[in-house]
Amino acid sequence: MATNHGSPVVESESHPEPTPQDESHSAATGNEWQSVTFSVPWVVRGADTGQDAINIAVSEVGKRISAASDRTRNRNIEVQSLGCNDCNSRTEALLLVSKTALVGLFVTLDVQAKSAEEAERRARREIGPHLEDTPLTSVDVSRE
């Protein structure tokens, strides 16, 4: 785990987007902005260090989801962390073997929807095609 003066360094990339529709339209349709978070595994090849793998994963996923339509906003990527119950420590969700890494990421984006289920479907439909053959596991849906 990379540290900076004893505290973990968390790589994150945020893509704030302007609201595509004005507030009166969302109120008229009954849609509310909902935040959807997916757990995303990302494979990185050719990484020399764990930090390199994290930087590459965040960059690659960021480029792909920035191509999502304007029906989303506030796209954010964070590295997942894993906790140890025995020693109360946390580490980044990263496995690096022979310059090939698996990095666990959280991808969060806001979509307009009437319910949590609809928000998850819309978010999956928006970023799924840009993360081809990558499982998207929903871990949280909440109102903005």
Side-chain angles (χ1 to χ4, degrees):
M1 173 169 59
T3 56
N4 183 11
H5 301 291
S7 61
V9 175
V10 175
E11 293 297 321
S12 177
E13 186 168 303
S14 182
H15 299 275
E17 298 293 328
T19 304
Q21 302 164 337
D22 66 21
E23 295 301 322
S24 62
H25 177 72
S26 66
T29 61
N31 289 338
E32 298 182 68
W33 284 103
Q34 301 208 29
S35 181
V36 181
T37 302
F38 294 107
S39 174
V40 177
W42 198 256
V43 175
V44 176
R45 298 190 194 313
D48 291 324
T49 67
Q51 192 61 52
D52 287 347
I54 289 170
N55 293 342
I56 293 167
V58 170
S59 177
E60 287 178 355
V61 171
K63 286 177 189 175
R64 290 173 184 239
I65 68 170
S66 68
S69 79
D70 61 356
R71 291 179 277 180
T72 64
R73 69 176 188 185
N74 297 331
R75 294 172 225 139
N76 188 41
I77 303 165
E78 292 180 357
V79 176
Q80 293 181 28
S81 67
L82 306 171
C84 174
N85 291 335
D86 292 337
C87 63
N88 274 344
S89 67
R90 299 202 67 77
T91 187
E92 294 160 328
L94 166 70
L95 175 64
L96 177 63
V97 178
S98 299
K99 294 191 175 193
T100 301
L102 175 63
V103 181
L105 300 173
F106 284 130
V107 175
T108 304
L109 63 149
D110 297 342
V111 296
Q112 283 188 314
K114 294 178 183 178
S115 67
E117 295 80 17
E118 182 182 355
E120 182 182 342
R121 277 193 312 273
R122 285 187 179 184
R124 191 177 300 276
R125 195 171 37 231
E126 290 298 321
I127 66 170
H130 303 287
L131 300 173
E132 190 174 322
D133 296 328
T134 302
L136 300 174
T137 303
S138 178
V139 294
D140 184 50
V141 179
S142 58
R143 287 187 182 163
E144 275 298 291

